[in-house]
Amino acid sequence: FFSSYPEVELQTVTVNVTIQDFVADVVSELVCRNTQQVSKETMFIFPVDSNTIVHTFHATIGDSRIEAMLWEKEEAQKLYKATSGMENIRYLQDQWDLWGPVFACFLGTLPPNEEATIRLCYIQELALQPDGAAQFCWPHELFPPKKYTSEWSREEHIALQHLSGRGWISSEEMSENLHFSISLKSARGVSHVVINSSYTPLQYIAFDQTSAQVSLKSALWMQSDDLNLLVYYKGPHILTAVVERRDSKASPGSLLGDPVVMLTVMPNIPEVVPSPGHFGEFLFLMDCSLFQDAQLPHLSSAHPSICPQNTLLFLLKSLPLGCYFNIYSFGATFKSFYPQSVEYTQENMDNAVGRISSICPDLGGCDLLGLLRCIYSTPLLHAHPRQLFIFTQRKISSEEDTVMAEVYRYRDQHRCFCFPTNKCVNLHLFQAIALETKGECVCIQSRMDMASKAVKCLQQALQPMASGISLHWDLPPGLEVSLIRKAPEVIFQGHQSFIYAWIHGQAQDENLDEAAVTLQYHVGSQFFSNTLRFSLSPSSDDRLPVHRMALMYLLWERAWEGKSREEKDTQQSAVKSSLSLGVPSPFTSIVGVQMKQRDTCSRVFFPNSLPLDSSMLFSPSCNLVPCQLLWLRGFRPALFESTKFWMVQKYQLCIEMLDHKASDTEAVTQLSAYCKEQKPCPEEEVTVVALQKANGSWALTTALSSALGADVEGQRPSEEVQPAVWATVSALVWLHKYKWKVPWSELLKAKACRWLQDQTEVQLDECLRAANSLLGCFVEPTVFKM
């Protein structure tokens, strides 16, 4: 992406992508030209999320070459002070309309009709789609633009394309501008690909179809959409391994001198699990400013779901027995209902419901970072995956990159569902938190739909998941394994986990080069086990993409261990490792160097050996240029997109927001007037929910009769029918009749049905006939799923 003018156009793009199972190695060359008669200042920006490593960058303009180099962090800080133009980076960081971590390099002035040639190389873990495909994306901004004449509009050209069946420029012309080739490798075999663009037929290189190639024919339709490539492999995906042999130039015993294995784990999780035993730890984080105008549920004259108190009530009532929960309120400080999470029982639920009214409005600061650190310091509960529900509307007090660093550190230990309002200036941050932890971010356009969206996410949080995950290795004698990135305690449905293992030691028999790993896990009460055998002598890959990804995780782990500055050996070892493969880390920073072409030497970006004295960079032929990994803090929120380039989406408002013409106050007034004309009234709706017990049943009381608007207490079908059974069936019939008023009642009804199933005698037919007659409706027995 170029933060300059439209006149600086991409002329040609050459991209070579090598995809091996779920890791992509990308080598690209971009040529752009200033088509105007005046000079333009240009900056190159590229997103680098937590699964991406940019390891090579250099740009050539005329006889000058800008090269990015890794440097020890303290040394780099000194160089930054001597770099002119750093104000451009600082301005970009605070004023740009993009957000998130990016690689940015100031290219300087591009003269009229001058070209800039950029070489960019990076490695990326690929997202796994629900159908098992590996997804690779390339941003549409990095495709050559289509050409239009001044006489015709873009819409006219599109219409012409539909009529003529071809684009404005010929395929021959496009082939001169775009060279996009993709190599595919997998020990399981490549099945097929799906690309949202025209491409050549898949060509197999190996007879066993473990290697294939495909190329784009044109980027004609890529002007508004990212390139989306889906790669399908043969066989079901549960466990795959990519083995990368050692670097022949490195000494054995080091990470580079030993093989590294990248495992991709996606457990087979059935849609329906008998006796699922929904265990989990559910933490509800409530921004106190949401309670500014809220009243108690029974005092609210507006629709009940407008109150954050009611959202908490519905969430608490929807939780399953056996889980753990806690509620936190946060502002300038934070408080919790309990010192640590408590088991979900009738007593604890009643206690929590009674304490909801104690949450006081707080319009001061917003210490989300302190609250997250407090939660992360609390030990995880065995067999209870931690899931956070965060409701907020204020600007957080801490820097966004600091918050994300903390979330990233614990991303394998929890999942976050975020609910920022449309007034929240940190909307993009919560999108990132949800994406990083494999949760979901739902923007609350008005607090009217807060409860329904929150309970919908709770339904997702209660889906079956794999837990008790363990790996068991079978290696040739003399070899051992060290996990660089360990298996998470839980993997949620539809997600995968990347695990990196370092194979070291000396094999006793060099002819034995086969190993095996066994994945074991539980889904509910079911036990699963899968074994994968793989070779420790794969074909060589001099670019070492798997080693680079493994090193990135290893360096972050070392940084999180909190080594003291006196331990110079550890620091120097980390710096050396970072420099050896060009992997940015907490111990290093990037420095941009501009040199004359005659002074440059042929070498890779982030060279293996760097000069010990940085004074060489101040020679007349070398100049420092602004070039850094940055955390952009753009003020405009970005839409959530299921692409690796979500962090740099251009500012736009979602259709739902654009269609919302009336203010929140007007909408509340309109809905309140509407509710007054309908039965039952909103207060009854809340009361019915509030009366449900933790096990899912209702007690036969006068309060329930009042809430249902019928004499349920006095109309029990017979003495043989248990009072609680009759009350529960009646409440379920009422909820089903008015489900348009209680759209988030699915979990409440499911709990009630499970409770009924556990009762020895229910007399469902008798109770259902009586309840239908009493409440004036007709509900089928199938609603009870019994």
Side-chain angles (χ1 to χ4, degrees):
F1 303 109
F2 296 88
S3 59
S4 68
Y5 301 90
E7 294 84 1
V8 179
E9 294 183 352
L10 276 171
Q11 299 291 301
T12 62
V13 173
T14 303
V15 183
N16 294 304
V17 184
T18 300
I19 297 177
Q20 189 166 5
D21 281 318
F22 293 92
V23 61
D25 186 3
V26 183
V27 178
S28 63
E29 185 175 278
L30 316 171
V31 179
C32 63
R33 176 184 291 275
N34 178 9
T35 61
Q36 296 298 296
Q37 298 306 310
V38 293
S39 298
K40 301 291 184 182
E41 287 192 337
T42 310
M43 182 177 291
F44 182 80
I45 304 171
F46 192 77
V48 283
D49 63 12
S50 60
N51 297 328
T52 303
I53 299 175
V54 173
H55 62 84
T56 300
F57 178 86
H58 54 75
T60 303
I61 302 177
D63 63 347
S64 296
R65 173 187 171 99
I66 297 174
E67 184 172 347
M69 303 170 63
L70 269 187
W71 216 268
E72 193 275 330
K73 197 158 201 171
E74 290 186 359
E75 191 72 14
Q77 296 296 330
K78 297 177 184 178
L79 296 175
Y80 291 153
K81 295 179 182 179
T83 303
S84 61
M86 288 300 290
E87 63 275 5
N88 293 322
I89 290 287
R90 287 188 285 269
Y91 176 82
L92 171 70
Q93 192 167 23
D94 292 323
Q95 301 297 326
W96 192 245
D97 64 346
L98 307 180
W99 182 90
V102 298
F103 169 84
C105 185
F106 184 66
L107 302 183
T109 301
L110 190 61
N113 296 316
E114 188 71 63
E115 285 186 347
T117 301
I118 295 170
R119 183 174 177 84
L120 172 75
C121 305
Y122 66 92
I123 298 164
Q124 187 177 74
E125 292 174 338
L126 299 184
L128 179 66
Q129 298 305 295
D131 60 359
Q135 181 187 37
F136 172 79
C137 295
W138 180 263
H140 70 273
E141 287 91 341
L142 295 185
F143 280 113
K146 280 189 280 190
K147 309 297 183 183
Y148 300 108
T149 65
S150 58
E151 291 82 5
W152 289 356
S153 68
R154 177 179 184 275
E155 289 74 15
E156 289 171 327
H157 274 284
I158 293 177
L160 179 64
Q161 290 164 8
H162 281 292
L163 290 174
S164 64
R166 65 183 297 273
W168 179 245
I169 55 179
S170 67
S171 58
E172 291 80 9
E173 292 173 305
M174 180 58 73
S175 64
E176 295 177 0
N177 297 335
L178 175 70
H179 308 272
F180 206 115
S181 63
I182 304 154
S183 299
L184 307 172
K185 300 177 182 179
S186 176
R188 292 184 296 152
V190 179
S191 173
H192 63 284
V193 297
V194 175
I195 310 177
N196 61 338
S197 177
S198 59
Y199 58 95
T200 62
L202 190 67
Q203 180 180 1
Y204 289 104
I205 307 302
F207 72 93
D208 56 0
Q209 299 185 345
T210 57
S211 179
Q213 288 184 343
V214 67
S215 299
L216 297 188
K217 287 185 176 179
S218 74
L220 194 58
W221 305 105
M222 292 293 108
Q223 305 309 308
S224 59
D225 296 319
D226 296 342
L227 172 72
N228 189 29
L229 165 68
L230 298 178
V231 186
Y232 293 85
Y233 301 109
K234 294 183 178 180
H237 170 67
I238 298 176
L239 181 64
T240 64
V242 176
V243 184
E244 193 169 83
R245 64 170 56 185
R246 63 181 294 269
D247 184 357
S248 58
K249 299 184 294 294
S251 58
S254 64
L255 179 64
L256 286 179
D258 290 325
V260 171
V261 181
M262 172 187 172
L263 296 179
T264 307
V265 178
M266 181 181 173
N268 179 24
I269 302 177
E271 290 291 335
V272 179
V273 180
S275 304
H278 287 310
F279 297 117
E281 181 188 19
F282 299 91
L283 307 180
F284 304 109
L285 285 57
M286 304 296 297
D287 183 345
C288 293
S289 66
L290 293 168
F291 293 77
Q292 180 181 6
D293 301 319
Q295 301 176 0
L296 293 178
H298 66 278
L299 297 177
S300 175
S301 60
H303 194 275
S305 61
I306 234 174
C307 298
Q309 288 99 329
N310 291 315
T311 299
L312 276 177
L313 173 67
F314 298 145
L315 287 171
L316 284 173
K317 291 291 180 175
S318 300
L319 290 176
L321 287 174
C323 74
Y324 282 73
F325 76 99
N326 204 347
I327 297 175
Y328 296 83
S329 59
F330 64 95
T333 59
F334 54 88
K335 299 178 181 179
S336 62
F337 278 22
Y338 307 101
Q340 57 187 14
S341 297
V342 297
E343 186 178 357
Y344 184 74
T345 63
Q346 183 66 43
E347 180 182 0
N348 288 333
M349 186 198 71
D350 288 341
N351 179 272
V353 170
R355 297 178 65 178
I356 291 177
S357 60
S358 66
I359 301 179
C360 300
D362 178 357
L363 301 180
C366 185
D367 186 20
L368 177 64
L369 179 61
L371 174 54
L372 290 176
R373 284 175 171 168
C374 176
I375 292 173
Y376 294 155
S377 66
T378 304
L380 294 171
L381 300 173
H382 178 66
H384 292 275
R386 177 172 288 172
Q387 303 194 68
L388 276 59
F389 287 68
I390 306 174
F391 300 85
T392 185
Q393 68 178 355
R394 282 182 295 180
K395 179 178 175 61
I396 63 170
S397 304
S398 306
E399 294 290 344
E400 292 172 337
D401 52 347
T402 306
V403 175
M404 280 307 302
E406 199 72 13
V407 171
Y408 176 80
R409 179 178 181 179
Y410 295 96
R411 64 175 181 166
D412 290 331
Q413 298 183 11
H414 72 305
R415 178 162 66 165
C416 293
F417 294 89
C418 301
F419 307 90
T421 68
N422 57 1
K423 299 177 182 179
C424 180
V425 298
N426 298 113
L427 172 62
H428 41 258
L429 171 66
F430 292 100
Q431 291 173 337
I433 290 175
L435 185 66
E436 196 64 59
T437 61
K438 300 180 179 178
E440 186 171 340
C441 180
V442 180
C443 181
I444 306 300
Q445 303 303 328
S446 72
R447 285 183 287 175
M448 293 169 55
D449 57 356
M450 181 183 292
S452 60
K453 290 185 175 180
V455 173
K456 184 177 179 180
C457 285
L458 181 59
Q459 284 181 297
Q460 180 180 343
L462 291 174
Q463 289 176 349
M465 61 190 71
S467 60
I469 299 168
S470 62
L471 295 172
H472 304 274
W473 298 81
D474 181 11
L475 301 174
L479 296 182
E480 298 178 355
V481 62
S482 297
L483 292 183
I484 295 175
R485 189 183 183 197
K486 301 178 181 179
E489 294 203 1
V490 62
I491 297 180
F492 299 100
Q493 194 172 49
H495 293 290
Q496 90 280 26
S497 180
F498 297 111
I499 301 168
Y500 291 87
W502 177 359
I503 309 296
H504 53 88
Q506 182 63 47
Q508 297 177 9
D509 186 350
E510 295 183 356
N511 294 322
L512 297 178
D513 66 345
E514 189 177 69
V517 60
T518 299
L519 168 70
Q520 295 181 344
Y521 60 94
H522 289 84
V523 179
S525 59
Q526 299 182 31
F527 174 76
F528 295 86
S529 180
N530 298 91
T531 299
L532 175 70
R533 306 199 71 83
F534 55 88
S535 172
L536 291 174
S537 301
S539 58
S540 61
D541 189 341
D542 295 335
R543 297 178 57 79
L544 302 172
V546 174
H547 276 79
R548 281 189 165 103
M549 294 301 304
L551 179 60
M552 180 188 71
Y553 288 113
L554 180 62
L555 293 173
W556 275 103
E557 286 293 336
R558 288 184 179 179
W560 291 332
E561 289 172 357
K563 298 293 184 181
S564 65
R565 302 201 63 82
E566 286 73 22
E567 298 184 37
K568 294 296 183 181
D569 291 343
T570 301
Q571 294 287 336
Q572 291 176 358
S573 173
V575 170
K576 184 177 180 180
S577 299
S578 181
L579 300 181
S580 64
L581 280 180
V583 177
S585 72
F587 308 101
T588 54
S589 294
I590 297 175
V591 175
V593 182
Q594 184 174 24
M595 297 170 282
K596 297 298 182 182
Q597 284 281 56
R598 63 178 180 270
D599 295 327
T600 62
C601 57
S602 177
R603 61 182 179 183
V604 296
F605 170 59
F606 300 161
N608 293 342
S609 59
L610 290 175
L612 299 178
D613 185 3
S614 62
S615 62
M616 64 145 313
L617 296 180
F618 299 97
S619 65
S621 60
C622 293
N623 295 297
L624 301 177
V625 298
C627 181
Q628 280 185 274
L629 288 174
L630 293 176
W631 186 279
L632 301 188
R633 299 190 292 263
F635 298 111
R636 302 176 180 179
L639 284 182
F640 176 89
E641 297 288 349
S642 58
T643 167
K644 285 298 177 184
F645 301 96
W646 57 271
M647 280 175 269
V648 290
Q649 298 291 318
K650 293 293 186 182
Y651 172 63
Q652 51 184 322
L653 294 175
C654 50
I655 299 301
E656 184 179 0
M657 188 183 301
L658 290 173
D659 288 342
H660 186 63
K661 306 295 184 182
S663 66
D664 289 355
T665 304
E666 292 171 339
V668 171
T669 303
Q670 295 169 5
L671 188 54
S672 297
Y674 174 76
C675 288
K676 291 179 181 178
E677 301 173 359
Q678 306 295 324
K679 293 295 181 181
C681 68
E683 290 80 1
E684 291 172 344
E685 172 191 322
V686 178
T687 304
V688 172
V689 174
L691 291 174
Q692 188 178 28
K693 294 184 174 297
N695 61 9
S697 69
W698 276 266
L700 189 59
T701 62
T702 304
L704 180 63
S705 295
S706 176
L708 300 184
D711 185 18
V712 178
E713 191 177 20
Q715 296 295 322
R716 184 155 51 115
S718 65
E719 292 294 328
E720 288 75 22
V721 175
Q722 300 177 34
V725 169
W726 164 240
T728 301
V729 171
S730 299
L732 281 172
V733 170
W734 186 93
L735 285 173
H736 185 75
K737 178 180 180 180
Y738 295 108
K739 61 183 178 181
W740 59 275
K741 273 189 169 293
V742 199
W744 49 87
S745 61
E746 287 82 2
L747 290 177
L748 303 177
K749 291 187 289 187
K751 284 179 64 174
C753 289
R754 285 196 297 270
W755 181 83
L756 287 172
Q757 291 172 356
D758 292 339
Q759 307 309 302
T760 54
E761 295 183 5
V762 175
Q763 295 96 8
L764 178 62
D765 292 339
E766 182 180 2
C767 291
L768 186 56
R769 284 195 299 270
N772 278 329
S773 176
L774 182 64
L775 297 174
C777 57
F778 182 77
V779 175
E780 297 281 355
T782 54
V783 170
F784 294 85
K785 301 176 182 178
M786 295 180 65

